[in-house]
C-alpha cells in the first residue's frame, strides 16, 4: 500500500433520495444511521459517477444492502491505492470498488462475503500486435497501483508502470506511452469502447479465481456480519440478479460461483455467452 494517502477526489454524494438519516442499528459507524462508503469515480460499470451521482454495479448493490439495514449510504471518491488503509483507519465505514479478496489485503481489512467474480483484462491498441498475456514480457505495461492487476503484473516480472487511477492508465495507452494495460476486464472493455478514441481495445481476458467483496475495518465484526446478512437478502429477493443483468448484460456466471454466503437460492442472470468462452 502506498505510503502517501491522498484523496484525489473530494466529491461527496448520497446514493439515496432520502434527505433524513435513517435510524439504523448500532454497527460502530462513524455516524449513526449513515454508511460512509469509500469508492472510485472513474471505473464503469463497477463504480463511477454519472450525472453527479455515485452508481455502478457495486455501488447500487451496497445501496440496496444499506436499505436492508435501514442505513443512508454516503459515498466519497478516493484512489484505490489508498482505499483499504482508509477503511481500516476509520475514514470510511466500508470500501466499495470490486475489491478482490487476497491474503495480502486481509492483513489490512476484513471482507464481506463475495458478491462478484471478475476477469483480468488485457487492453492495448489496435496497432500493437499484442493479442495475449504471454506477449507482455519486455513491453511497457501500465497498471493501477495496489490492484490485483498490479499484483499480477508484478508476479509475472513485467516491471509495470503504476498509475493512480483508470483514466491515467487509459491515457497512457492513447498517448502511446504504454503498450498494454492489465485491467479489470469489465472496466477495461467499457472504457475502451466509450473513451478509447477508436484505437484502444480489449484484446484478451482470463477468469480470476478470487471473489470480489466489500471491505470493512478489521475490528468491526458487527458491521461485516450485518452486511453479510443483508447481502444474502438482496441476493434472495432478486436485486443481485437484476443488477448483474443491468451492468453486465449477457455475462455468464461460472458454474462454481455462488454469491454471498453461498447458501441462498438465487436466479442465475441471463447469459448470451458461456463462462468458458468468456474466459
Amino acid at each position: 500500500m502506498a505510503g502517501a494517502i491522498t484523496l484525489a477526489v473530494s466529491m461527496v454524494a448520497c446514493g439515496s433520495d432520502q434527505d433524513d438519516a435513517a435510524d439504523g442499528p448500532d454497527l460502530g459507524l462513524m455516524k449513526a444511521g449513515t454508511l460512509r462508503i469509500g469508492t472510485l469515480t472513474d471505473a464503469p460499470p463497477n463504480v463511477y459517477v454519472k450525472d453527479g451521482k455515485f452508481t455502478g454495479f457495486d455501488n447500487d448493490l451496497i445501496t440496496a444492502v444499506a436499505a436492508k439495514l435501514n442505513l443512508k449510504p454516503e459515498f466519497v471518491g478516493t484512489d484505490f491505492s489508498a482505499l483499504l488503509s482508509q477503511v481500516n483507519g476509520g475514514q470510511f465505514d466500508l470500501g466499495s470498488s470490486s475489491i478482490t479478496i487476497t491474503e495480502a489485503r486481509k492483513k489490512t481489512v476484513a471482507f464481506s462475503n463475495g458478491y462478484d467474480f471478475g476477469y483480468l483484462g488485457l487492453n492495448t491498441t489496435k496497432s500493437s500486435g499484442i493479442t495475449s498475456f504471454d506477449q507482455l514480457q519486455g513491453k511497457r505495461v501500465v497498471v493501477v497501483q495496489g490492484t490485483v492487476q498490479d499484483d499480477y503484473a508484478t508476479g509475472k516480472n513485467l516491471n509495470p508502470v503504476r498509475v493512480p487511477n483508470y483514466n491515467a492508465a487509459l491515457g497512457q495507452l492513447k498517448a502511446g506511452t504504454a503498450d498494454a494495460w492489465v485491467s479489470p476486464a469489465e472496466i477495461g472493455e467499457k472504457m475502451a469502447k466509450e473513451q478509447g478514441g477508436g484505437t484502444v481495445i480489449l484484446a484478451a481476458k482470463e477468469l480470476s479465481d478470487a471473489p470480489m467483496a466489500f471491505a470493512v475495518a478489521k475490528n468491526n465484526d458487527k458491521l461485516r456480519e450485518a452486511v453479510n446478512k443483508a447481502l444474502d437478502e438482496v441476493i434472495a429477493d432478486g436485486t443481485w440478479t437484476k443488477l448483474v443483468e443491468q451492468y453486465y448484460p449477457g455475462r455468464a456466471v461460472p458454474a462454481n460461483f455462488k454469491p454471498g454466503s453461498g447458501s441462498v437460492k438465487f436466479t442465475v442472470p441471463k447469459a448470451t455467452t458461456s463462462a468458458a468462452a468468456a474466459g
Side-chain angles (χ1 to χ4, degrees), residues 103-184:
E103 292 303 316
R105 289 173 176 171
K106 287 180 180 177
K107 295 177 181 178
T108 304
V109 293
F111 288 101
S112 70
N113 290 326
Y115 59 79
D116 199 12
F117 58 93
Y119 295 87
L120 288 174
L122 172 56
N123 280 80
T124 185
T125 61
K126 290 180 178 178
S127 60
S128 72
I130 298 172
T131 59
S132 65
F133 287 92
D134 59 10
Q135 294 177 288
L136 295 181
Q137 287 293 342
K139 302 295 184 181
R140 185 174 171 85
V141 177
V142 64
V143 295
V144 174
Q145 182 176 354
T147 60
V148 169
Q149 296 79 43
D150 185 353
D151 295 342
Y152 172 88
T154 302
K156 294 291 185 181
N157 296 316
L158 297 178
N159 191 26
V161 176
R162 297 177 177 87
V163 295
N165 55 56
Y166 297 112
N167 281 327
L170 183 68
Q172 291 232 0
L173 281 182
K174 293 170 69 174
T177 53
D179 300 307
W181 165 30
V182 181
S183 67

